[in-house]
Amino acid sequence: MHLLRSRVPHRSRPLGRSLRPVAAAAVIAALATSLTACGDDEDSGGASGSAKSSSTVTIGQHSNGAAEQTDLEVAEVAAISAKVPESVRDSGKLVIGIGALPAGSVPLNYVGDDQKTITGVEPDFGRLIASVLGLEPEVRNSTWENLFVGIDSQKIDVGFSNITVTEERKKKYDFASYRQDNLAFETLADDKWNFDGDYKNLAGKTVAVGAGTNQEKILLEWKKKLEAAGEKLTVKYFPENNSAYLALNGGKIDAFFGPNPSISYHVTQTAKTPQATRNAGQFSGAGETLQGLIAATTKTGSGLAEPVAEAINHLIENGQYATWLKAWNLSNEAVDTSQVNPPGLPLTNE
């Protein structure tokens, strides 16, 4: 989130567990037998067809109910694909890095219900970009750390893995932003309270948060400010999200503060149940002075960030970007335009 990972400052990290947890070894084995192997801990998966002229990209394929499956016809834009570096253009493919091993993170990136397709918000968007660039998408799944090793060695052309733009990362990587990096408050659906972007609205509330996370750091800062003003904010901790949601359903806490994508996903899963929840307000993972941004990540000087940003803006202008976000219930993280190397989380916060 911050992911940055939303849990540890300035590193985008998984936001939850996959719908169907699969041991890393089993995931790799399934991918290896079903897809083109791409390394000891990297696998390709879920490519949505070759991409000269026009291709169909299936959003939410094998998502196990996390997304509304949607087919999008995406044509190559010659004026943009002509700007792709020759080495990438000649290969005919865009190698997309995903850091989803071992278990993945719903709804961002995980192994689908067919036990082999790499699905999620991030790989789907990478496939859309590949189509605009006239390239065949090749998704390589690895651990978070090896994702960056792959970008550094240029075995991976571009990372789509909920990577937050930071000033520290800009020393090594070029970015093309495509989503807001947000935290959110989740409450019961019948609770009328809203955060409204003001920490003072937390006075008198009991809020659960994950220990050691970026959102905990922000919440504890608000707690201190409220205490200085004579107000009380109670912060609760639970070993995992399911325990926090049991506390929410039982009225032991008023809200859960976590990464917006995971909360948006959980809201869809509780809809039409007695435990229905809602998103009660968002806050930038970069803090109150800067909107955090998630971005496609390339090696500095590779020449890919600019055409990727143009491809993103093309998808925005043509409505396919909005369709992609809506399918994953993440319309609340939309950006108006993609920026190349926008301001990132400052060095002093990392």
Side-chain angles (χ1 to χ4, degrees), residues 38-111:
C38 300
D40 292 340
D41 65 350
E42 297 177 330
D43 303 279
S44 68
S48 299
S50 65
K52 293 299 179 184
S53 68
S54 180
S55 60
T56 300
V57 179
T58 301
I59 303 301
Q61 189 173 30
H62 298 294
S63 73
N64 202 5
E68 180 180 348
Q69 186 166 312
T70 307
D71 288 340
L72 290 176
E73 289 296 324
V74 184
E76 174 183 354
V77 180
I80 299 176
S81 62
K83 299 178 182 180
V84 172
E86 185 177 0
S87 60
V88 177
R89 190 168 62 248
D90 289 349
S91 74
K93 63 185 179 181
L94 184 70
V95 182
I96 299 162
I98 299 293
L101 289 179
S105 174
V106 181
L108 296 175
N109 42 44
Y110 58 104
V111 177

Side-chain angles (χ1 to χ4, degrees), residues 200 202-204 222-233:
K200 294 177 183 177
L202 292 167
W222 289 335
K223 178 181 170 70
K224 289 181 181 179
K225 289 181 178 181
L226 287 169
E227 287 176 345
E231 302 285 356
K232 183 178 181 180
L233 167 62

Side-chain angles (χ1 to χ4, degrees), residues 134-154:
L135 300 169
E136 179 180 356
E138 180 180 301
V139 179
R140 294 191 182 183
N141 189 20
S142 69
T143 62
W144 173 259
E145 291 77 11
N146 282 332
L147 165 62
F148 289 94
V149 172
I151 296 172
D152 292 343
S153 64
Q154 293 191 287

Side-chain angles (χ1 to χ4, degrees), residues 1 19 53 63 79 86 152 154 167 192 210 240 244 248 254 264 293 299-300 312 317:
M1 153 183 156
L19 288 168
S53 68
S63 73
E86 185 177 0
D152 292 343
Q154 293 191 287
E167 291 303 313
K192 304 304 181 184
E240 35 79 30
L248 182 63
D254 297 302
S264 294
L293 293 170
K299 186 173 182 179
T300 294
I312 294 168
E317 292 166 5

Side-chain angles (χ1 to χ4, degrees), residues 6-22:
S6 68
R7 294 178 278 196
V8 179
H10 322 309
R11 169 181 178 186
S12 295
R13 82 187 216 190
L15 298 178
R17 298 179 180 177
S18 67
L19 288 168
R20 184 175 298 188
V22 180

Side-chain angles (χ1 to χ4, degrees), residues 116-318:
K116 61 182 180 181
T117 301
I118 302 298
T119 191
V121 175
E122 302 290 71
D124 275 359
F125 198 57
R127 292 171 182 129
L128 288 171
I129 296 302
S131 291
V132 176
L133 299 180
L135 300 169
E136 179 180 356
E138 180 180 301
V139 179
R140 294 191 182 183
N141 189 20
S142 69
T143 62
W144 173 259
E145 291 77 11
N146 282 332
L147 165 62
F148 289 94
V149 172
I151 296 172
D152 292 343
S153 64
Q154 293 191 287
K155 292 180 179 179
I156 290 172
D157 296 319
V158 57
F160 284 93
S161 202
N162 207 60
I163 302 168
T164 296
V165 181
T166 75
E167 291 303 313
E168 179 65 30
R169 287 177 179 160
K170 282 164 70 174
K171 295 176 181 178
K172 293 183 64 178
Y173 305 105
D174 287 331
F175 295 97
S177 58
Y178 60 90
R179 244 181 50 236
Q180 293 183 8
D181 179 16
N182 289 330
L183 300 169
F185 288 91
E186 186 174 5
T187 65
L188 293 177
D190 59 3
D191 188 336
K192 304 304 181 184
W193 176 85
N194 285 296
F195 175 61
D196 289 331
D198 187 351
Y199 75 89
K200 294 177 183 177
N201 289 330
L202 292 167
K205 298 296 182 180
T206 299
V207 180
V209 71
T213 63
N214 185 54
Q215 54 265 30
E216 180 201 25
K217 177 178 177 290
I218 292 172
L219 192 64
L220 291 179
E221 289 174 353
W222 289 335
K223 178 181 170 70
K224 289 181 181 179
K225 289 181 178 181
L226 287 169
E227 287 176 345
E231 302 285 356
K232 183 178 181 180
L233 167 62
T234 302
V235 177
K236 294 281 189 180
Y237 298 94
F238 297 90
E240 35 79 30
N241 286 358
N242 286 339
S243 297
Y245 286 129
L246 285 173
L248 182 63
N249 294 335
K252 295 181 179 179
I253 61 173
D254 297 302
F256 174 64
F257 188 39
N260 183 68
S262 60
I263 285 177
S264 294
Y265 163 69
H266 188 253
V267 167
T268 66
Q269 301 305 294
T270 63
K272 299 180 181 180
T273 74
Q275 294 78 38
T277 61
R278 68 181 182 89
N279 189 316
Q282 298 168 239
F283 189 76
S284 170
E288 61 183 339
T289 61
L290 178 69
Q291 175 59 60
L293 293 170
I294 302 298
T297 304
T298 67
K299 186 173 182 179
T300 294
S302 69
L304 259 178
E306 288 79 6
V308 167
E310 290 190 29
I312 294 168
N313 287 327
H314 172 78
L315 293 170
I316 291 173
E317 292 166 5
N318 284 273

